[in-house]
Amino acid sequence: MSAFTISRRTVLAGSAALLASTAMPVIGRAQTPKRGGRLVVAADSEPRNLNPAIVASNGVFFISSKVVETLAEASFDGKDGLQPRLALSWEGTADGLSVTFKLRDGVKWHDGKPFTSADVAFSALQLWKPLQNLGRTVFKDLSAVDTPDELTAVFKFAKPTPFQLIRNALPALSSVVPKHVYENGKIEENPANNAPVGTGPYKFAEYKAGQYYRLAKNADYWGKDEPYLDEIVYQVLPDRTSAAAALEAEEIQLAAFSAVPLADLDRISKVPGLKVITKGYEGLTYQLVVEINHRRKELADLKVRQAIAHAIDKDFVVKTIFLGYAATATGPVPKNDPQFYTADVPTYAFDVAKANALLDEAGYKKGPDGNRFSLKLLPAPYFNETKQFGDYLRQALAAVGIDAELVNNDSPAHIKAVYTDHAFDLAVGPPVFRGDPAISTTILVQSGIPDGVPFSNQGGYKNADLDALIAKASETLDTTARTDLYKEFQKKVAADLPLINVAEWSFISVARDTVGNIANNPRWAVSNWADTYLAG
């Protein structure tokens, strides 16, 4: 394939047209799998770190999951909802102290060196446990990884660790990186964090800031006859409103993660050659939350947090911001999780009068200008909905006498401000529920998280009882008892409001009808796309 080049002016204008040297052929309508071709995908952000073994987030997975593989992937019909990747099988002991992985033979890293159990041991002990934003919680008690041979890795835990948790964590938290690339020097500063080396169906080929990421076919991929595509190009379109126009002009072929604004879906669903797909995100439930900096005296007061919760009209948010493509939230576990969810939690009905009364009781009377105090509000820039909710929240707070200053940053600046510098009072965040509260949910409220860990409790909230409950659940092997503990967890979070859960939602993809094998697993947008193709 020829090199991918694109005009910076075109990108900034939101048009995203390819130059003549890279123009795509006329797209047919037959759904016959074809080898080769370039899939051009909309990307609305540029992750600072592309190593999913360090930063487990969908913005990173969206690109890197095609390059760096996990031990297992989510599946609609596989045993326990999993499909083998670098591991062929996994088995835990009854005492919760050991899990054995049998690994795939004949796998090579993109630099040609063989993949072995040493890579799994290194990744688990040197990255997932100490560095990964989510893995440092899930793998906190991992004490050793034995490698009796090159295709066996035995995880040893210092304390009983539920096998259910480890199994549920595999798709998101088990990205394996090459030991020989990372073993010398500081892992956090390794150049491979921004140009990853993996075992996946695609190799990282090129990145042009503000323009595109390009992945090239891995001709030595272990998957038989895969991948189909020659290239995947992620075209940077920071303005999401341009995605629909680019799809209609056949300048891109896929927009995932609701890159096409919800308001455009009805119209675009009627455009010939385009399809709207709601599947493929079942394993990725996003939660709209108000993150709270408890270092602020006012916000450390429970009555103030309760007042803010009462000031938010969740039904309005779902109907107006999400156009009905969401549900109101009651707490930190979404309603669509039948195993862990409970509705038996304190709730906060929309009630401006009650919010005002609580603020008065807390001692924050309105001044002559009608304001009680001022806050700095940082909406996450990742989605239209988080930004729109920031605007709404500012107005909702104004209605109860809280003056909120909106601070809009790009993605790297937002992450630094909230999760490293703590330069916020309130933030709008979209954490992901990944099928188990211990994977990506308890970290939002647990104390003791080091500074700089993205998508974690950086608000300074501390609750010894809640921390103890989280610790107990992490060591409880009985599934029923563990589920009951997480129901109690939801009650405590809803009662003390370390953060405020507002809504929960999934995503929608829009693609040209020539793109095949879309949404065929519950995490499709962040899976490896080895079998995705362009019809001939």
Side-chain angles (χ1 to χ4, degrees):
M1 298 291 287
S2 57
F4 184 83
T5 52
I6 160 175
S7 158
R8 176 178 292 274
R9 176 184 174 191
T10 300
V11 171
L12 295 177
S15 155
L18 301 179
L19 299 182
S21 64
T22 59
M24 283 177 277
V26 175
I27 296 177
R29 294 290 175 256
Q31 284 299 317
T32 302
K34 185 188 76 168
R35 299 199 175 279
R38 170 190 291 136
L39 177 66
V40 185
V41 184
D44 72 338
S45 65
E46 298 174 77
R48 177 180 295 180
N49 188 323
L50 285 174
N51 185 345
I54 295 177
V55 182
S57 77
N58 288 333
V60 175
F61 293 146
F62 188 39
I63 298 169
S64 295
S65 60
K66 289 70 180 163
V67 179
V68 179
E69 294 188 294
T70 54
L71 295 176
E73 183 53 271
S75 170
F76 284 125
D77 51 18
K79 182 183 177 183
D80 297 319
L82 294 173
Q83 179 183 32
R85 282 288 191 264
L86 291 177
L88 295 174
S89 67
W90 37 91
E91 184 176 352
T93 55
D95 60 8
L97 295 175
S98 178
V99 179
T100 298
F101 293 92
K102 293 296 183 179
L103 306 176
R104 191 179 295 276
D105 195 8
V107 177
K108 293 181 181 180
W109 293 103
H110 292 158
D111 60 11
K113 296 186 182 297
F115 158 78
T116 73
S117 56
D119 299 305
V120 176
F122 180 84
S123 298
L125 293 171
Q126 303 303 321
L127 284 87
W128 307 347
K129 178 180 177 177
L131 300 178
Q132 191 184 69
N133 56 323
L134 304 179
R136 66 176 69 209
T137 300
V138 173
F139 296 103
K140 65 182 176 62
D141 294 319
L142 181 67
S143 58
V145 178
D146 295 343
T147 54
D149 59 61
E150 291 191 342
L151 298 178
T152 304
V154 184
F155 284 38
K156 300 288 188 177
F157 295 91
K159 295 180 180 179
T161 300
F163 179 51
Q164 177 196 38
L165 168 61
I166 300 303
R167 201 173 56 211
N168 288 344
L170 294 180
L173 307 189
S174 69
S175 297
V176 183
V177 298
K179 177 182 177 182
H180 65 274
V181 170
Y182 280 93
E183 62 184 339
N184 295 318
K186 194 171 183 180
I187 289 173
E188 300 95 312
E189 297 174 358
N190 196 298
N193 291 333
N194 291 311
V197 177
T199 59
Y202 298 94
K203 297 182 178 182
F204 186 86
E206 188 180 12
Y207 166 56
K208 294 289 185 183
Q211 298 184 47
Y212 63 86
Y213 297 86
R214 183 170 65 88
L215 310 182
K217 177 179 181 176
N218 175 16
D220 293 324
Y221 185 55
W222 56 261
K224 185 179 179 182
D225 300 325
E226 292 177 338
Y228 284 111
L229 298 167
D230 287 332
E231 285 186 326
I232 301 174
V233 172
Y234 293 85
Q235 190 162 299
V236 178
L237 296 175
D239 179 5
R240 285 190 162 226
T241 60
S242 64
L247 281 163
E248 291 179 85
E250 302 188 21
E251 294 161 357
I252 64 173
Q253 297 134 306
L254 173 68
F257 284 111
S258 298
V260 173
L262 298 178
D264 290 342
L265 287 179
D266 183 60
R267 178 188 63 79
I268 209 166
S269 69
K270 300 178 177 66
V271 174
L274 292 177
K275 53 185 177 182
V276 175
I277 304 116
T278 58
K279 287 187 62 180
Y281 297 98
E282 291 80 357
L284 306 171
T285 299
Y286 272 68
Q287 299 171 287
L288 185 72
V289 305
V290 179
E291 297 172 291
I292 299 170
N293 193 337
H294 293 256
R295 299 172 185 85
R296 256 307 279 266
K297 175 174 65 76
E298 296 90 342
L299 298 177
D301 189 323
L302 176 58
K303 288 184 178 180
V304 172
R305 301 197 298 275
Q306 290 173 332
I308 293 173
H310 281 297
I312 298 171
D313 187 344
K314 295 180 181 180
D315 288 329
F316 177 86
V317 170
V318 166
K319 293 173 184 175
T320 305
I321 294 177
F322 289 95
L323 302 181
Y325 292 98
T328 58
T330 58
V333 173
K335 297 173 181 175
N336 68 357
D337 187 292
Q339 179 178 5
F340 293 108
Y341 175 74
T342 178
D344 184 19
V345 299
T347 57
Y348 304 87
F350 175 55
D351 190 333
V352 173
K354 188 165 187 176
N356 276 308
L358 283 165
L359 290 167
D360 287 341
E361 289 173 24
Y364 298 105
K365 304 292 185 179
K366 288 184 178 180
D369 61 356
N371 290 329
R372 303 174 188 274
F373 52 84
S374 297
L375 296 174
K376 186 180 293 186
L377 169 60
L378 279 65
Y382 320 123
F383 309 112
N384 286 337
E385 291 74 29
T386 53
K387 290 181 283 189
Q388 290 169 5
F389 178 72
D391 291 329
Y392 163 79
L393 183 57
R394 181 182 61 80
Q395 298 174 44
L397 293 173
V400 296
I402 299 174
D403 178 30
E405 175 196 359
L406 274 178
V407 180
N408 291 298
N409 293 315
D410 62 13
S411 179
H414 178 82
I415 289 175
K416 184 175 186 295
V418 176
Y419 302 109
T420 299
D421 298 341
H422 310 142
F424 75 104
D425 295 314
L426 299 176
V428 179
V432 186
F433 184 80
R434 302 183 189 275
D436 193 299
I439 294 176
S440 58
T441 300
T442 57
I443 194 174
L444 300 174
V445 298
Q446 183 178 356
S447 69
I449 307 298
D451 291 351
V453 178
F455 317 115
S456 69
N457 171 21
Q458 293 297 336
Y461 175 76
K462 295 180 181 179
N463 183 319
D465 289 342
L466 190 59
D467 285 344
L469 189 153
I470 290 169
K472 183 177 180 181
S474 72
E475 300 174 9
T476 298
L477 304 183
D478 181 80
T479 300
T480 300
R482 187 169 180 265
T483 299
D484 288 342
L485 285 170
Y486 282 124
K487 289 181 177 179
E488 183 64 24
F489 163 78
Q490 293 167 73
K491 293 179 184 179
K492 287 184 178 295
V493 171
D496 206 35
L497 293 176
L499 48 73
I500 300 171
N501 288 85
V502 178
E504 47 210 39
W505 83 100
S506 191
F507 291 98
I508 294 169
S509 299
V510 181
R512 303 299 309 178
D513 60 9
T514 51
V515 184
N517 280 340
I518 291 180
N520 56 8
N521 77 61
R523 299 175 73 253
W524 180 79
V526 295
S527 64
N528 70 12
W529 294 6
D531 61 353
T532 299
Y533 64 87
L534 292 173

